[in-house]
Amino acid sequence: MGSTKEYWFDHIETQKNYRLANLLGITEDELEQIVYEIDEDISNDGLLYGYIVQFDDDNDPSIMNKINGLTSGSYVSLSPWELDDPEEDELEWEVIHSEQLEMFNKQLVDIPEMLKIKIAARAEFSLLVMLHAHIVSALEHFLSTTFIYRVTNSDKLTRKLIETDPEFGNRKFTVNEIYAQHSNIKLTVATYLKTIIFHDMRKVKPMYAEILSCDFGDISWLFKAVKVRHDCVHRAGYDKQGSAVTVSRESIKELINNCRDLAEKIDLHAQELGS
């Protein structure tokens, strides 16, 4: 299937060209016929205001006359959200970067210091609720990015997922679609995996076991932590009956240790898999 990184970079470039052509009001073929440069419009303190598309003076006038928002006959200003796709940028990171454990550790590194802060009881409860949710979310992100990276960068694992996951087994394709899906299969797989809720351990644990041959072991503590996280996120630390969830400085420390142990175990197994 070729290099996943090369494929993804080509895909990103194609998508950006498609978006730019649409924004300018011309076709992709016409975009390829003109010369232009895209520069960032940045403030002195590094804030991105947007992008400036600067066109060459020798471009075909018949194409230039079609361009929307052309200023002084030479450039177009675009907002950052017009050219960028946050969802695609995030998926790009997950497909081509392998520093999942490093990112996870960065997300947790400051929490022990935060636990040393002396504050009033009510404020402490709010802090612990936020920290509990943050820790579980960080582990969820680690599980998601590790799985997506390992599967999309391995032809063997990509095929294994396609052949065993009911989502792909239930799909039906025409002959033409089969060829199209074959060339884009890793993007299809990555996009599908992005939709999976990685805090649903009833699905994630067996998926890791079946596709990556990685056994989480006893994670009853994680099932409980995920349930508490739900109350932390959706009701700011209270359950449906209005009772406060049970969190403490000690429970946060224990949760960090358990999450670190699981993440390190998974990362070591993933490294042994290769790609």
Side-chain angles (χ1 to χ4, degrees):
M1 294 184 191
S3 166
T4 299
K5 289 185 179 181
E6 290 177 7
Y7 167 78
W8 190 258
F9 286 139
D10 288 344
H11 168 74
I12 294 295
E13 188 66 25
T14 299
Q15 290 298 103
K16 286 190 175 181
N17 287 342
Y18 172 76
R19 283 198 297 272
L20 179 59
N22 281 339
L23 289 168
L24 297 178
I26 59 179
T27 66
E28 291 179 78
D29 182 60
E30 289 172 328
L31 182 65
E32 291 180 358
Q33 297 178 49
I34 59 177
V35 179
Y36 62 92
E37 291 184 358
I38 301 178
D39 297 317
E40 294 180 335
D41 183 11
I42 302 178
S43 68
N44 292 333
D45 56 359
L47 178 65
L48 177 65
Y49 290 140
Y51 297 97
I52 298 174
V53 185
Q54 185 74 45
F55 300 96
D56 192 271
D57 293 336
D58 296 328
N59 283 332
D60 185 341
S62 66
I63 298 177
M64 295 300 297
N65 289 337
K66 298 179 182 180
I67 292 179
N68 297 326
L70 192 63
T71 303
S72 301
S74 62
Y75 71 92
V76 169
S77 297
L78 298 175
S79 301
W81 54 84
E82 289 183 295
L83 199 57
D84 295 336
D85 185 336
E87 288 291 329
E88 194 166 78
D89 290 344
E90 184 178 351
L91 192 56
E92 175 191 1
W93 187 92
E94 294 176 357
V95 168
I96 67 176
H97 289 85
S98 60
E99 302 87 3
Q100 293 85 18
L101 184 61
E102 180 181 346
M103 174 61 72
F104 175 74
N105 286 330
K106 284 181 180 179
Q107 292 166 334
L108 301 189
V109 68
D110 293 321
I111 295 180
E113 287 299 315
M114 297 175 71
L115 291 175
K116 296 177 182 178
I117 301 173
K118 301 298 183 182
I119 52 179
R122 288 181 61 182
E124 179 179 83
F125 175 73
S126 295
L127 174 63
L128 296 177
V129 163
M130 288 186 283
L131 291 179
H132 183 100
H134 175 79
I135 295 165
V136 177
S137 295
L139 182 63
E140 175 188 343
H141 182 258
F142 170 80
L143 293 172
S144 171
T145 53
T146 298
F147 195 87
I148 291 174
Y149 176 81
R150 290 297 160 185
V151 171
T152 57
N153 283 277
S154 166
D155 292 348
K156 179 181 178 181
L157 295 177
T158 296
R159 179 169 182 172
K160 191 174 183 180
L161 176 72
I162 293 170
E163 291 178 344
T164 59
D165 194 286
E167 167 70 16
F168 289 97
N170 293 332
R171 293 189 179 189
K172 299 184 184 300
F173 301 105
T174 65
V175 173
N176 289 337
E177 287 173 335
I178 289 174
Y179 286 105
Q181 285 297 325
H182 181 268
S183 61
N184 295 308
I185 193 63
K186 292 200 172 183
L187 173 61
T188 301
V189 167
T191 304
Y192 162 65
L193 291 175
K194 189 66 180 173
T195 66
I196 293 176
I197 301 174
F198 272 81
H199 59 248
D200 185 356
M201 290 302 125
R202 292 170 300 179
K203 182 167 186 177
V204 173
K205 183 180 180 182
M207 189 170 67
Y208 257 85
E210 187 166 12
I211 306 302
L212 300 186
S213 301
C214 182
D215 181 9
F216 287 2
D218 180 9
I219 56 168
S220 54
W221 60 269
L222 183 53
F223 281 91
K224 179 181 177 181
V226 168
K227 185 177 183 300
V228 173
R229 171 192 178 275
H230 180 86
D231 293 333
C232 290
V233 171
H234 295 281
R235 283 179 293 274
Y238 292 86
D239 62 21
K240 291 180 180 179
Q241 288 72 43
S243 301
V245 298
T246 302
V247 287
S248 65
R249 292 175 186 260
E250 288 307 312
S251 75
I252 295 297
K253 292 176 184 177
E254 183 178 2
L255 181 60
I256 290 175
N257 290 334
N258 287 338
C259 287
R260 283 192 189 280
D261 288 345
L262 179 60
E264 289 171 2
K265 175 182 177 180
I266 292 171
D267 183 73
L268 178 61
H269 180 82
Q271 297 296 337
E272 292 173 349
L273 284 176
S275 60

